[in-house]
Amino acid sequence: MNFSESAQSKYPEVEEQSQGNISKALNKMAEGKFGYEASTTCASPSANYFWYRKRQEVIKICTRNLYDLLKSTDTSENPSLFVDIGCGDGTDLFLIHNLFVKHSSAWKFIGLEANTDLVQICKMKQEYYKASGVDFMFSNAISKLPFSDGEVNLVYCSEVIEHILEPEALFQEIKRVLKPGGYLLLTTPNQPNVFQRSYWINSRRQKMQETMQAMKVQPEKLHQPGGEEICIYGHISLKNNQEWDEILSKIGFQVVDNGRGALTYGGTYFYDNEFILGIHFLLQSLLDLLPRKLGRNFSDQLICLYKVKDS
């Protein structure tokens, strides 16, 4: 097994799946450069803050609404069901699991993931954490979730819908599996956000649309054991907060609570300059003083809790 094969088998989250890209990353390391874009863990201060901020806001939303989220808790013989669609390496699922189990043991947690390597990582984490009531399964069934009508209490879907050709169909499917009054906790890019709208000119908007269309036509391929091939799309479904709210409202969801993510993803030498990073953190702190409903627009992410509308 050569180095590239070994790296891919040990680190399935590596974005560079080709020999050429791994060679480029190695060359940067040999030159003594800190290649943010080649990092397997987003090892950039601004990029790491982006994901930290998202998870922090998700936990805050769950904490603020914990009573309502848990009041429908069933018995330990018939536990309430939490489903994470596109759970990745399970980080978010375990964070929410740790919060919930402090207040109720009558919950079952299921993570769905289309990458079999990540499913194995999740199961190793489950064993390491000794987390009870948690299960992970391979699932690429975006059009048909593996649950009965009205079976799920809370769906968590983070950084998934922007990669889907028809996110509305997934929302319909989520509504189908949720119980009456069930919840959807959603995160996805908020683009163009208020800052982007201030400097995006028409030519830049058009270029973004052309890039999205190209990714729809030529997706990357993820090869699974057994020869199965899955299409992996980039950010092909980008909308702002208000547009997502309107789509979900038409499907039958209402906004319950929201958080505010980081201003921008960053992950470049510019954003990680000490001065720029300091200004970034200062702005974050000032924006935290705004009401949540207003502050959500000053974010590169939608982080929102929705509820199935009463019929």
Side-chain angles (χ1 to χ4, degrees):
M1 178 181 291
N2 60 33
F3 177 84
S4 64
E5 291 173 339
S6 175
Q8 290 179 35
S9 63
K10 289 184 178 180
Y11 306 103
E13 70 274 26
V14 175
E15 294 180 3
E16 292 77 24
Q17 294 296 319
S18 70
Q19 176 68 46
N21 285 332
I22 291 177
S23 297
K24 290 178 183 179
L26 289 174
N27 290 336
K28 288 178 183 177
M29 294 169 62
E31 295 170 3
K33 295 181 179 179
F34 190 59
Y36 295 121
E37 69 278 10
S39 170
T40 63
T41 57
C42 302
S44 150
S46 57
N48 270 333
Y49 178 76
F50 180 90
W51 297 113
Y52 163 79
R53 175 90 194 190
K54 182 208 79 169
R55 290 170 176 136
Q56 183 186 57
E57 290 297 300
V58 163
I59 294 301
K60 284 182 178 179
I61 287 177
C62 289
T63 302
R64 286 196 299 266
N65 298 277
L66 195 61
Y67 173 77
D68 289 330
L69 292 174
L70 296 182
K71 70 180 182 181
S72 63
T73 296
D74 297 325
T75 64
S76 56
E77 292 79 17
N78 185 29
S80 298
L81 184 57
F82 171 97
V83 174
D84 185 348
I85 299 176
C87 64
D89 66 0
T91 298
D92 293 18
L93 184 147
F94 284 113
L95 285 172
I96 298 172
H97 169 271
N98 290 343
L99 173 65
F100 278 30
V101 296
K102 292 178 181 178
H103 302 274
S104 173
S105 60
W107 277 81
K108 182 178 180 181
F109 296 79
I110 296 179
L112 305 180
E113 175 55 46
N115 186 322
T116 53
D117 290 328
L118 291 177
V119 172
Q120 292 303 313
I121 289 175
C122 288
K123 290 184 176 181
M124 286 189 289
K125 284 186 176 182
Q126 176 191 0
E127 183 177 353
Y128 176 80
Y129 292 138
K130 294 180 170 57
S132 60
V134 178
D135 193 15
F136 297 95
M137 64 177 68
F138 169 81
S139 176
N140 191 38
I142 298 300
S143 60
K144 182 68 175 179
L145 295 173
F147 303 101
S148 303
D149 294 0
E151 184 179 358
V152 182
N153 297 75
L154 171 60
V155 167
Y156 180 59
C157 186
S158 180
E159 309 309 300
V160 172
I161 61 172
E162 65 271 19
H163 300 284
I164 297 176
L165 286 170
E166 298 179 353
E168 293 86 353
L170 177 58
F171 289 143
Q172 291 282 7
E173 197 42 20
I174 289 173
K175 185 187 177 190
R176 178 188 68 80
V177 302
L178 280 172
K179 292 184 177 181
Y183 292 88
L184 164 64
L185 182 50
L186 177 71
T187 86
T188 190
N190 169 34
Q191 293 185 5
N193 59 49
V194 66
F195 288 113
Q196 291 169 329
R197 288 197 297 269
S198 67
Y199 64 79
W200 275 20
I201 58 177
N202 289 336
S203 61
R204 188 165 185 172
R205 291 176 186 270
Q206 183 177 356
K207 184 177 180 180
M208 187 196 76
Q209 293 295 330
E210 291 173 353
T211 301
M212 289 169 56
Q213 186 61 36
M215 287 188 291
K216 291 179 181 180
V217 176
Q218 294 182 326
E220 296 180 10
K221 304 291 185 179
L222 176 65
H223 293 273
Q224 297 291 350
E228 183 176 359
E229 189 176 73
I230 297 174
C231 291
I232 303 296
Y233 295 94
H235 286 192
I236 57 175
S237 295
L238 294 176
K239 303 180 186 300
N240 60 39
N241 290 338
Q242 289 71 30
E243 290 172 323
W244 286 123
D245 287 349
E246 291 172 4
I247 290 172
L248 283 157
S249 178
K250 291 178 181 178
I251 291 173
F253 289 90
Q254 63 188 35
V255 175
V256 174
D257 196 359
N258 54 72
R260 184 184 66 78
L263 290 171
T264 183
Y265 176 74
T268 68
Y269 292 105
F270 172 79
Y271 284 108
D272 291 319
N273 173 276
E274 291 183 358
F275 178 76
I276 299 298
L277 197 62
I279 295 296
H280 186 191
F281 289 154
L282 176 61
L283 283 173
Q284 298 281 12
S285 300
L286 293 174
L287 290 172
D288 282 339
L289 301 176
L290 295 174
R292 290 195 301 275
K293 187 175 181 179
L294 176 61
R296 73 190 296 237
N297 293 320
F298 296 89
S299 167
D300 201 27
Q301 276 183 307
L302 175 146
I303 305 174
C304 193
L305 179 67
Y306 298 90
K307 181 180 181 181
V308 176
K309 294 179 182 177
D310 296 331
S311 56

